[in-house]
Amino acid sequence: MSIATAPDFLQEMAVASRRRDAAARQVMSDAQLRSQLLCVPPPRPLRLQPTGFDIIAEIKKRSPAEGDLGTLLQSPAEQGAAYASGGAAALSVLTEPERFSGDLDDLQAVSNAVPHLPVMRKDFLVSRYQVREARLAGASGVLLIAAMLSADELEPLFAAAFELDMFVLLEVFTAAELDACLPVLERLGPAADPNGQCRYLLGVNCRNLRTLQVDFAHFARVRPHLPAGIPWVAESGLQDADQATELAALGYRLALVGTTLMRSPDPAAQVARLRAAGTAACS
């Protein structure tokens, strides 16, 4: 049984993802995919500042809640390069095609354009095949959404990522979802390896994926339930430096920022501002 029943938008995304998974397997079998992965270079490690506040900068052409976001975008690759110049710790690329206008080709283009930064596939993943598919397209990490995956479903996806030395951002919305995931996280071991390379992160989304409503105060409400020893990522809703300061003061180590950066006339400077504000609050 799933951690939470997923109606409305999230259910729609889960159904569509399973359909895409089945279609992709018709083009390339899992055995063929695994064979191609033998020729892929190792993924890029995700390492955070020892102290401070980091940004995962997101590239998305469209948002179901906000509409078209690509008016200032020359290309996904150029957007990614701008984020990198602003000091982003990692990049996130939306690959969902139906509601976000994303594509695995965008992921590959960004990974090729910014060879020194890890890139994460952000999508509504439901299978190990899709994790491997992400790696073949240049991803060093993947997003997994607790609200649409049971604990029994999460563990094989984590295993598929770790087999390929990829990191995982596990996203929760409610404290109940987090509680259901904690046994899985406990079995995973440390969130970072002895060299400081991140194996997994814990994200809190302040956007309700069933209604698409954003509530920035949700970060503070969930914070008392978050376990120590895992970097916390604030997802959605971050618009300015004051909010970055607030998140860092709450103990969040990173923020995943998309819409604000996509709409910025100077995304590199905006990444730098958010990062500097959060880091100042940490110190």
Side-chain angles (χ1 to χ4, degrees):
M1 184 176 180
S2 293
I3 288 174
T5 303
D8 306 321
F9 178 78
L10 192 57
Q11 183 180 45
E12 174 191 336
M13 290 294 93
V15 170
S17 184
R18 292 187 178 93
R19 185 169 61 243
R20 286 188 285 130
D21 178 59
R25 293 170 189 262
Q26 294 300 311
V27 177
M28 181 186 298
S29 70
D30 191 51
Q32 291 170 319
L33 178 56
R34 285 171 174 266
S35 177
Q36 291 202 23
L37 284 171
L38 295 175
C39 303
V40 173
R44 300 152 201 169
L46 173 61
R47 291 191 173 92
L48 307 180
Q49 300 181 75
T51 59
F53 189 78
D54 281 305
I55 298 294
I56 301 176
E58 185 160 277
I59 296 158
K60 58 180 177 181
K61 298 174 181 175
R62 180 176 178 80
S63 161
E66 305 287 343
D68 181 33
L69 300 174
T71 54
L72 301 176
L73 180 66
Q74 298 299 312
S75 72
E78 290 179 7
Q79 190 81 6
Y83 292 165
S85 67
L91 307 179
S92 169
V93 180
L94 250 299
T95 60
E96 197 286 324
E98 296 180 15
R99 301 295 296 273
F100 292 88
S101 301
D103 194 280
L104 283 168
D105 288 343
D106 295 338
L107 176 61
Q108 187 72 71
V110 172
S111 180
N112 291 343
V114 191
H116 62 289
L117 277 188
V119 181
M120 181 182 79
R121 180 185 187 183
K122 188 177 180 185
D123 208 323
F124 299 84
L125 304 187
V126 294
S127 73
R128 289 173 290 184
Y129 182 94
Q130 291 173 319
V131 174
R132 297 174 187 132
E133 187 180 51
R135 182 70 201 103
L136 188 63
S140 294
V142 291
L143 173 77
L144 300 179
I145 301 174
M148 57 183 285
L149 296 164
S150 70
D152 288 342
E153 291 168 327
L154 275 174
E155 292 200 73
L157 271 64
F158 267 102
F162 290 168
E163 286 170 6
L164 297 169
D165 291 326
M166 301 172 74
F167 71 87
V168 173
L169 171 56
L170 176 63
E171 174 183 307
V172 300
F173 178 68
T174 67
E177 290 170 8
L178 175 59
D179 288 344
C181 292
L182 285 178
V184 176
L185 297 179
E186 289 170 0
R187 289 191 288 272
L188 293 177
D193 70 15
N195 297 317
Q197 179 175 336
C198 287
R199 300 174 64 236
Y200 61 91
L201 311 162
L202 179 61
V204 176
N205 199 342
C206 79
R207 184 187 298 279
N208 186 332
L209 290 181
R210 297 178 178 84
T211 66
L212 299 183
Q213 296 300 306
V214 170
D215 178 8
F216 193 82
H218 187 69
F219 291 124
R221 288 195 296 270
V222 176
R223 185 252 178 265
H225 304 277
L226 299 177
I230 306 172
W232 307 337
V233 185
E235 301 180 49
S236 302
L238 178 57
Q239 298 181 354
D240 55 41
D242 287 344
Q243 289 180 323
T245 298
E246 182 178 347
L247 290 172
L250 287 169
Y252 289 90
R253 289 283 311 281
L254 308 89
L256 191 156
V257 189
T259 300
T260 295
L261 297 179
M262 292 297 295
R263 288 183 165 162
S264 172
D266 190 345
Q270 183 72 350
V271 169
R273 278 193 293 270
L274 297 174
R275 184 170 175 263
T279 297
C282 291
S283 61

